[in-house]
Amino acid sequence: MRSLTRDQLAGGAFDVAHTGGAPIPPVTILQVGDGNFLRGFVDWMVDVANGQGLTNAGVAIAQPLDQGISGLLKAQDNLYTVLLRGIGNGREVESRRVVSCVADALNPYADWARMVELTSSPALRFFVSNTTEAGIADREEPYTPGTCQDSFPAKVAALLHARYTALGGTADSGLVFLPCELIEANGSNLKRIVLAHAKRWGLEAGFADWIETHNHFLNTLVDRIVPGYPRDEAAALAAKWGYDDKLAVAAEPFHVWVIEGPAHLADELPLHKAGLDVVWTDDLQPYRTRKVRILNGAHTASALAAYCAGLDTVKSMMDDPTVSAYLNKVMFEEIVPYVPLPEAERQDYARTIMERFGNPYIRHELISIALNSVSKWQVRVLPSLKDAVARNGRAPAGLSFSLAALLRFYRGTLADGAYAGRREAGSYPISDNAEVIAAMSAAWAAHAGDANALVAALLSDTRLWKEDLTAIPGLAARVAGSLAAIEAKGMKAAMADLVADLVADPVAG
């Protein structure tokens, strides 16, 4: 089997989309993060834009940890394949592209001097990262010039100081930071922590002024499911493609990158002009609300009920007539109408989400979505429910049912420090913080035979929801009724009855 090399790619040895014929572009983007997501999202976008002549951007990928894939990347001439598969407009779609924009790959723990050299280059303009949600954290550590800092923000502070020193702190030497970590205000938080390091390290005041004035830390929102290396299909895909690629990345076609920043920066990185769904805006919040309520909210509102009904994946949930009918009612009648965006935009996004949920190439386990469901329901579902109450004067039936399903999911027993629930297929782990587990366990022990008392005890517990949910008109009664039905008939039958009632009398919802 042939290896994936630039010479073979340029010579036409492989029938695959790629940016060919040009030398490796100069490094204008430094990326901390070598995982599947950034390679199947940002780097893929840059390569598409390079292929259309809109950009001539090279990416240098730095491992965020001492262990990473820089060696594997170099062994493949910094090339890898992105395989997109999913559902688009009701049809299965597939495309493949070899990404060739990666100009360098390094381990900063082993070669900090190279990391400093790249950061200090006048050609560098953008700094991308994905160091997980825990990466942008303020952890005090000493300044260690000449060696790699430990935390990501400390790395950024040290690298920026090296650039400031090398280039004289000029106005045009600032960088644009595009963090992709999934936390709110990721750019603002990164900037705050970098400045805190600079102050603690006693670095000169002019350096902090340069960070504030000439560097841009932009808040971003990213959305694409990237399962990663298709291990189970690797041999078959290699035979089909005609080359071996140990770094191939499988992803869904859907992608959105929302960047909160000034328009002139969009012109410097015109990915949106390449037909890519990259949105530059002066207000990220509506897009965050759209994702949290529609994508995440629909997940949380349906996953626990589906799991207790005997299903295991999002795809199986979409294939089940009862659960998919429930999700459709909740999505389009109880979530979408309350998202603060134009009607066409929120409807189109919701339809796209439903297609993504049904992607046959992605196995998304419902039990993984169930992790920490109390806080997720409070953030993702409760705002839609409260907006519906404000408009209609009563709690909506479907979202109320989702809360009843959550309470049923949390019915468990404590043994050897672990809390486990039970469905027909057997036991399952219930993972949440200790306070939530204690509250759920105590309420079920005290009120297992009385749905009204159980619901009153749990919905009024402000430790769980940060407010008393029994104050929401009609919610406790609807949740108690649904929970009683679930206990008497089972999850699937109770859900089927709810859907039938909503179809027969939509106004009652």
Side-chain angles (χ1 to χ4, degrees), residues 273-443:
K273 295 181 180 178
L276 300 166
D277 199 352
V278 178
V279 178
W280 288 79
T281 179
D282 58 3
D283 185 6
L284 186 74
Q285 196 56 47
Y287 298 94
R288 180 173 294 281
T289 300
R290 180 182 75 170
K291 179 177 184 286
V292 170
R293 290 206 188 185
I294 296 179
L295 170 60
N296 304 124
H299 263 159
T300 299
S302 56
L304 304 186
Y307 187 79
C308 289
L311 305 177
D312 292 316
T313 66
V314 173
K315 177 64 167 60
S316 66
M317 183 175 79
M318 298 303 294
D319 290 340
D320 185 275
T322 299
V323 181
S324 62
Y326 163 78
L327 178 55
N328 266 283
K329 298 292 289 186
V330 167
M331 173 73 92
F332 291 101
E333 296 178 16
E334 299 184 5
I335 295 177
V336 171
Y338 307 102
V339 175
L341 284 171
E343 175 69 10
E345 183 176 342
R346 62 195 184 196
Q347 288 285 343
D348 287 347
Y349 183 74
R351 283 190 287 269
T352 299
I353 294 302
M354 298 298 274
E355 287 189 336
R356 295 172 70 191
F357 285 177
N359 189 339
Y361 301 105
I362 294 176
R363 182 176 176 84
H364 199 169
E365 299 284 346
L366 295 174
I367 195 65
S368 69
I369 297 172
L371 178 69
N372 298 328
S373 280
V374 169
S375 61
K376 286 179 178 176
W377 194 92
Q378 184 252 330
V379 170
R380 300 172 173 186
V381 181
L382 182 57
S384 295
L385 185 146
K386 292 171 75 172
D387 282 351
V389 171
R391 183 180 299 181
N392 304 310
R394 61 187 183 279
L399 294 181
S400 299
F401 185 91
S402 78
L403 183 52
L406 182 150
L407 300 184
R408 174 58 185 82
F409 176 87
Y410 275 80
R411 180 176 188 173
T413 55
L414 279 167
D416 299 324
Y419 192 54
R422 189 162 192 86
R423 60 175 185 165
E424 190 172 323
S427 64
Y428 57 86
I430 303 174
S431 301
D432 215 313
N433 68 51
E435 190 173 50
V436 169
I437 296 299
M440 290 289 182
S441 177

Side-chain angles (χ1 to χ4, degrees), residues 25-31 58-63 74 103-108 111-127 159 162-163 166-167 175:
V27 173
T28 60
I29 301 171
L30 180 57
Q31 174 176 304
V59 179
I61 295 180
Q63 299 173 191
K74 289 179 179 179
D104 198 0
L106 70 150
N107 177 359
D111 195 357
W112 183 248
R114 175 60 176 156
M115 190 75 169
V116 170
E117 179 187 1
L118 286 166
T119 307
S120 301
S121 167
L124 189 70
R125 178 56 170 159
F126 295 94
F127 197 119
L159 291 169
R163 183 177 179 87
L167 302 181
L175 297 178

Side-chain angles (χ1 to χ4, degrees), residues 200-243:
R200 284 194 290 260
W201 293 344
L203 302 179
E204 58 268 46
F207 172 55
D209 291 341
W210 176 74
I211 291 176
E212 286 275 17
T213 307
H214 300 302
N215 290 265
H216 304 270
F217 290 78
L218 306 184
N219 297 320
T220 79
L221 176 70
V222 298
D223 190 1
R224 170 175 260 179
I225 299 172
V226 184
Y229 183 64
R231 189 174 306 280
D232 294 343
E233 306 173 78
L237 290 174
K240 178 181 178 181
W241 298 346
Y243 61 87

Side-chain angles (χ1 to χ4, degrees), residues 63-79:
Q63 299 173 191
L65 303 172
D66 194 16
Q67 300 297 317
I69 65 167
S70 60
L72 288 173
L73 275 166
K74 289 179 179 179
Q76 291 191 177
D77 274 356
N78 294 321
L79 301 173

